[in-house]
Amino acid sequence: MITVIGSLNMDLVVQMNAFPKQGETILGHAFQTVPGGKGANQSVAAARLGSDVAMIGCVGQDSFGETLCAGLQQEQVNTDAIVHSATAPTGIANILIYNQDNRIVVVPGANYELAPTHIEASKELIQKSQMVIIQLEIPKETTAYAIQLCKEAGVPILLNPAPAANFDKQWMKDIAYLTPNETECAEIFNEPIDQLLEKYPNKLIITLGSDGARYFDGIFPVHIPGYMTTAVDTTGAGDTFNGALAYALVEGQSLDEAVYFANLAASLSVEKFSAQGGMPTLGEVYARMAGTGE
């Protein structure tokens, strides 16, 4: 079983023909509400591949929270450990899109109400997990508590350091895998990539978008190429990668196999609109794998 500790947001997506200037009101031409939040996205990614997934997070007592939880349940994600805050609304991301550019405002809301006490209340769930996935869109002290609890229980952690500003380098000794992209890696470490990879063999996996991912296997540097495809919406590609990587590792695949599998899953995810909309099933990943000749 995989347990995901992280954020749940409702994405409010507005498409327009121009960004408004200060004080200006304009007309948009499309609006959608789309389930999001890195925690929820990674839960869906792993569950759609067939993992037994539980989600720990916090939403408000509002319609957005109800919709997000119902959507996870439809994906067979266990939502029993999701807290419903009486004091904060469900988190939202207001996304303005114009000419393939976007501007995003995130209001964390109830995500920042997830406390160490909520992690402690889910201790048994975490202890029986085969892997825990964590991102950084929740309070830093809650992340630290979850890492300590997992360490005591001997449960491996896959940590996706987004946003990178919330990462504490002291956590490196206690996690099994860290999956930053190149920008996040530079913000966290400010060291040459090759040197970093050798410093954290089989732990630091740097994602490169369509170029795949890199890590160091203890002897040689490894580059797992990406799969070239025509992208419709790259939102959620990283979340798909992380959910798929956790799935593959829990299923007993080697790190090399798991990263390759996660790359294929991510390539499928960008071919449809929205973060969760394109996340593939296991059958779809194997179909793409067969098409590559692997």
Side-chain angles (χ1 to χ4, degrees):
M1 185 184 75
I2 295 171
T3 295
V4 180
I5 303 173
S7 59
L8 302 97
N9 288 331
M10 185 62 78
D11 294 348
L12 311 178
V13 185
V14 179
Q15 298 184 49
M16 54 193 63
N17 294 321
F19 288 127
K21 301 180 181 67
Q22 183 175 354
E24 181 184 21
T25 299
I26 66 170
L27 292 178
H29 61 79
F31 173 74
Q32 289 176 290
T33 55
V34 182
K38 296 189 74 65
N41 290 346
Q42 293 176 20
S43 293
V44 170
R48 205 167 281 176
L49 292 165
S51 292
D52 181 10
V53 181
M55 172 89 201
I56 301 174
C58 188
V59 296
Q61 296 182 4
D62 49 37
S63 60
F64 284 164
E66 292 174 3
T67 300
L68 290 173
C69 289
L72 290 177
Q73 290 162 8
Q74 190 170 352
E75 297 287 349
Q76 307 303 312
V77 174
N78 184 322
T79 61
D80 291 348
I82 293 178
V83 181
H84 294 258
S85 172
T87 58
T90 299
I92 64 99
N94 191 2
I95 304 172
L96 307 181
I97 300 176
Y98 160 61
N99 194 27
Q100 297 183 322
D101 188 13
N102 61 54
R103 300 180 184 184
I104 303 174
V105 178
V106 175
V107 181
N111 290 307
Y112 276 17
E113 297 288 307
L114 188 67
T117 52
H118 299 133
I119 305 302
E120 177 65 26
S122 297
K123 185 175 182 177
E124 290 185 12
L125 174 65
I126 291 169
Q127 288 173 332
K128 66 182 182 181
S129 300
Q130 294 165 280
M131 182 170 289
V132 167
I133 305 176
I134 307 176
Q135 324 78 37
L136 303 178
E137 295 181 328
I138 58 176
K140 193 169 182 177
E141 63 269 22
T142 305
T143 300
Y145 191 88
I147 290 172
Q148 182 61 32
L149 198 157
C150 289
K151 178 184 177 182
E152 292 170 358
V155 177
I157 298 168
L158 190 161
L159 198 152
N160 177 219
N166 291 338
F167 184 75
D168 187 333
K169 284 192 282 188
Q170 294 185 45
W171 295 338
M172 287 300 293
K173 67 182 186 301
D174 297 325
I175 62 177
Y177 306 100
L178 185 77
T179 58
N181 60 29
E182 291 176 286
T183 301
E184 292 160 348
C185 189
E187 184 175 346
I188 292 168
F189 296 106
N190 193 29
E191 295 180 42
I193 284 182
D194 289 341
Q195 178 180 313
L196 275 172
L197 291 172
E198 291 190 23
K199 187 175 180 180
Y200 300 109
N202 297 309
K203 175 179 287 193
L204 177 61
I205 303 162
I206 302 175
T207 60
L208 309 171
S210 60
D211 289 332
R214 293 180 62 192
Y215 66 95
F216 185 76
D217 69 2
I219 302 174
F220 300 109
V222 179
H223 175 214
I224 306 295
Y227 182 88
M228 299 307 296
T229 187
T230 302
V232 173
D233 183 0
T234 59
T235 309
D239 293 333
T240 302
F241 178 92
N242 282 281
L245 182 66
Y247 163 83
L249 291 168
V250 166
E251 289 297 306
Q253 294 186 26
S254 67
L255 184 57
D256 184 270
E257 293 169 330
V259 173
Y260 175 74
F261 179 92
N263 278 342
L264 286 183
S267 76
L268 282 159
S269 75
V270 304
E271 295 176 354
K272 296 179 182 177
F273 177 74
S274 86
Q276 296 179 15
M279 289 176 170
T281 63
L282 186 61
E284 288 171 333
V285 177
Y286 280 127
R288 171 140 298 173
M289 192 178 293
T292 68
E294 294 292 332

